[in-house]
Amino acid sequence: MPKFSVVDMAGKAVAEIELSDAVFGIEPNAAAMHQAVVTYLANQRQGTQSTLTRTEVRGGGRKPWRQKGTGHARQGSIRAPQWTHGGVALGPKPRDYRLGINKKLRRLALKSAFSSKVLDNDMIVVDKIETAEYKTKTMVAMLKALNAEKKPLIVLDSADEKVLKSLSNIPGVKTAYVNTLNVYDVLNCDKFIVVKDAAEKMQEVYA
């Protein structure tokens, strides 16, 4: 079982925690993580882009000149794609980019992502994150003490409005709960900061 020092907001070790091998100590499966990331990014796409075809552009109902005898190439409409202000040929139309991934593979990908953070020594377990008032300075000081200022993902055990608001002003910081974690965010962060109670919940959910 991987052992972690549980630190406080000042970065000092206050306890120790053993986490399950089944969640935090597996051999990371690169293929599963790749599939989960591709699916997540595809599902973020809105698919609402749309261009006008020659039938949808206003105007162009009259033939611009007669078919023969002018010396010009024959033209049927000034809204054909080769004309300025004409329609777009083969342009994008609204479509659904959504992909699916089965539960077993998604679970394996998440456990692989957790384990890869453990292997890279990028996971930090904090006993609790709290603040008595809305104070971004408190959270900045915590991240500095944890050496996690660049791009951390902070997993909270419950919704604390003061903590969330205080963290929301800091560039690069992302917050999540145990039930909102995704593989992309876990792999994309530089430091994976987990509150102790959230780590125990993760063991229950993903073991």
Side-chain angles (χ1 to χ4, degrees):
M1 282 190 162
K3 279 189 177 181
F4 288 90
S5 289
V6 179
V7 298
D8 60 14
M9 290 175 66
K12 293 176 184 172
V14 292
E16 209 170 62
I17 187 173
E18 280 193 2
L19 296 177
S20 169
D21 275 333
V23 179
F24 296 96
I26 70 167
E27 179 71 32
N29 187 313
M33 290 190 288
H34 177 264
Q35 185 62 50
V37 169
V38 167
T39 301
Y40 173 81
L41 292 176
N43 292 348
Q44 300 309 298
R45 297 184 71 174
Q46 288 184 316
T48 54
Q49 73 278 43
S50 185
T51 52
L52 300 180
T53 65
R54 61 187 294 170
T55 62
E56 296 167 322
V57 180
R58 182 181 174 86
R62 179 173 63 85
K63 191 172 172 66
W65 52 75
R66 65 180 189 269
Q67 182 83 343
K68 291 178 172 292
T70 63
H72 292 298
R74 56 195 174 188
Q75 301 290 333
S77 168
I78 61 168
R79 294 295 179 253
Q82 73 272 20
W83 285 72
T84 303
H85 308 303
V88 176
L90 309 176
K93 284 291 184 185
R95 57 167 285 197
D96 185 7
Y97 289 94
R98 197 154 195 82
L99 296 175
I101 183 171
N102 66 53
K103 284 182 183 177
K104 255 186 182 177
L105 190 60
R106 186 169 66 236
R107 188 176 286 256
L108 173 62
L110 268 170
K111 290 193 285 188
S112 295
F114 301 154
S115 299
S116 70
K117 286 296 172 188
V118 173
L119 286 171
D120 295 339
N121 293 317
D122 285 335
M123 181 168 165
I124 301 167
V125 181
V126 184
D127 62 341
K128 57 188 172 182
I129 297 175
E130 58 186 6
T131 177
E133 52 188 336
Y134 297 94
K135 204 81 172 171
T136 300
K137 193 185 285 186
T138 306
M139 295 297 127
V140 170
M142 178 194 75
L143 294 175
K144 192 171 185 180
L146 297 176
N147 195 24
E149 296 169 275
K150 194 175 177 186
K151 199 165 61 171
L153 172 64
I154 300 171
V155 184
L156 302 169
D157 57 321
S158 59
D160 185 330
E161 193 182 344
K162 286 178 182 173
V163 171
L164 289 171
K165 290 265 187 180
S166 300
L167 285 166
S168 66
N169 288 332
I170 309 171
V173 174
K174 269 201 160 189
T175 55
Y177 303 110
V178 176
N179 61 343
T180 63
L181 280 168
N182 67 75
V183 177
Y184 177 78
D185 284 342
V186 175
L187 294 177
N188 193 42
C189 70
D190 286 328
K191 291 292 180 183
F192 186 46
I193 301 170
V194 186
V195 174
K196 184 186 171 188
D197 289 347
E200 288 168 352
K201 276 185 193 174
M202 285 161 72
Q203 287 193 120
E204 291 173 22
V205 172
Y206 299 109

